[in-house]
Structures are given as C-alpha cells and as structure tokens.
Amino acid sequence: MLSIDRLRAESARFGTSPYLLTQGNDGRPHAVAVSIEWQGDRILTRTGTRSVANADARPLLSLLWPPIEAGGYSLIVDGDGCVIGSGADARISVTPTRGVLHRPDTSAASAARGCGSDCIPLLS
C-alpha cells in the first residue's frame, strides 16, 4: 500500500532530523540538517535564510534520512515546498509527492536489471 500514512510511519522510525535538499540560484544542491514535524499530511521545518530563499524560488525539494544501521535503507522524500511566514519566523512546509526507501544493491540480480539499487516505494 503506497500511502501518506506509511510514509509518516517510516519517517517516525527514522527520526525527526533529516537533511533538507534545495536548489541554489546556480543550480547546485544545498543540503542542511533540519528538524521536522508532521502537520496533517505536510512536513514542517525551520531552517536558514538560504534554504528558505531557495525553496521560495524553486519549490521542488527533498528530505533525506540516512540509514539507521550499516547497510540499511535511506528514506528519501520528494515534495513541493512552500514558505510560510517571513524573516526569523519563516518555515518551509513540504507536501510529499514521492517517498522511497533506498539502498545500493550490488547483487547479481540487480546488475542484470541494470538498476544497482534496492528500492521500496512508499508514496507515489
């Protein structure tokens, strides 16, 4: 079942401290550690002025939780960002559009598929 509830449950398992990935003016990725909280079906975070400006100008962003254990899955959530408030009170609201558990897969089966990854979709 691909659902926001499953995504919320997985994010709870990974904790409240992912990395927020936005895109800068020059097209380069900008990554910062953040704390998140769920508000309904949206994820809210406070972050610095650069991330806020990036999300305001280019609202497609991602959240990345590293693996909990060696060899484990990472949680990656893509979403549409929206800046709420301004100045020191600005927050980014993320509406998830896709979520996946991801890890490299070096097995022969993966190599034969040409994928190189082991993915479990959570939300699409």
Side-chain angles (χ1 to χ4, degrees):
M1 176 173 80
L2 303 178
S3 73
I4 197 77
D5 292 330
R6 179 141 183 233
L7 181 62
R8 190 181 294 110
E10 285 296 333
S11 74
R13 188 170 72 86
F14 277 78
T16 60
S17 299
Y19 291 93
L20 173 67
L21 307 168
T22 60
Q23 183 181 5
N25 289 333
D26 61 1
R28 294 175 196 247
H30 178 67
V32 295
V34 296
S35 293
I36 61 111
E37 65 179 274
W38 281 88
Q39 188 174 68
D41 290 346
R42 298 179 304 150
I43 299 170
L44 296 177
T45 186
R46 289 189 191 280
T47 188
T49 56
R50 188 173 185 192
S51 295
V52 167
N54 288 348
D56 195 39
R58 289 163 299 283
L60 301 179
L61 48 80
S62 297
L63 293 161
L64 168 66
W65 285 258
I68 298 169
E69 67 281 333
Y73 289 94
S74 294
L75 173 60
I76 304 168
V77 175
D78 295 331
D80 297 322
C82 174
V83 175
I84 300 171
S86 62
D89 292 328
R91 294 183 296 164
I92 297 174
S93 171
V94 181
T95 301
T97 56
R98 182 173 178 266
V100 65
L101 293 172
H102 176 274
R103 68 179 172 190
D105 182 358
T106 57
S107 69
S110 175
R113 288 191 316 263
C115 174
S117 297
D118 177 12
C119 298
I120 301 173
L122 301 172
L123 176 71
S124 60

